Amino acid sequence: MIVTLSETAAILASAQRVVITAHENPDGDAIGSSLGLMHMLRSLGKEACVLLDDDIPAIFSVLPGYDIIRRPDEKEPVEADLLVVLDTSTDRTGCTLAAVKAEHLLNIDHHQTNDNSAEYTYVAPGRAATAEIIYDLTRELPVKLTKDMAVCIYTGLATDSGFFRFSNTTSHTMRAAAEMLDHGVTPNVISEALEQKPYQTVRDIGEAIEMAELFADGHAAGIFLDEATTARMKSTESFIGMIRVIEGVDIAVVMKAKEKELCRVSMRSKGIDVSKIALQFGGGGHTRAAGCTLLMPFEDAKRTICEAISKAIWENK
Ligand code: 5GP
Ligand code: MN
């Protein structure tokens, strides 16, 4: 059931014990919006915790509350009044749904592909980040912004908007960020912490750029990592940004073979709706950033995604 922002605030206000979760492979928005909401609810005197069913990259240790994020455990289910799923539909939350026995389920998201499968869903595709919705909620609830909340919300805003450069950045995004600065955020401290990369990751970026291929007559660029390469490279997040900038490229793709018949796909575009391509394979995302999982061997998956991307490009010419 779709709810409004004020109904979302009312659902949060009426719960005492709240568990917050977000998508697997959590990014700055998933973690920032989760911890931001946790600090907010705690300031209102509620019991709130964050459970994420994945490893949390160490760069996010700059966020207050990083140390208290736990993994859900199906064998020891947690009881709660409300489970809040952030920054995804309820499907990509690992075992969290099974590990939390909650009376109510609320989903807050900014993805246009949200499947509205939760008991209550609030989706705002015009917001650059789920953290921007958390900011909106600070104005709906009797919350006094603290530095802890501000650092977490700012991180979500900054990471999902490419530090206020992507097309999803609005004046509202920047006003929200400005308010976070008024509450103690120092932008360079956060960006320097998030930019840190191990030496080996920088070398891996070099190797990945060497592997980049152009297709669809130069309108698309891809990096395709087979299972052995994927296993060897610890962090691949920055690869897509490296090929997105190639002149003439409309769509960039990074595909990683994670298992023999399981490949993860990330796509970025300069305007063509890549969420439609991702949806064809059960994935989702935004117009300019989307992803999916292909349950097929590396070569088949590579051919399948390249064909789908090429088709989308020709249809948009
Ligand atoms: P990324 O390429 O950074 O993993 O994801 C780009 C965007 O697409 C993010 O907003 C992410 O949440 C979304 N996305 C990535 N993979 C999937 C997927 O398998 N399913 C859905 N629904 N969304 C995805
Ligand atoms: Mn997000």
Side-chain angles (χ1 to χ4, degrees), residues 29 87 110-111 130 160:
D29 189 28
D87 203 36
H110 70 128
H111 291 94
T130 298
D160 259 27

Side-chain angles (χ1 to χ4, degrees), residues 23 25 27 87-89 91-92 110-111 113 160 264-268 282-286 289-293:
H23 56 82
N25 193 18
D27 55 14
D87 203 36
T88 175
S89 304
D91 54 347
R92 293 197 300 135
H110 70 128
H111 291 94
T113 53
D160 259 27
R264 276 289 310 160
V265 173
S266 278
M267 291 176 284
R268 298 291 182 271
H286 309 281
C292 56
T293 300

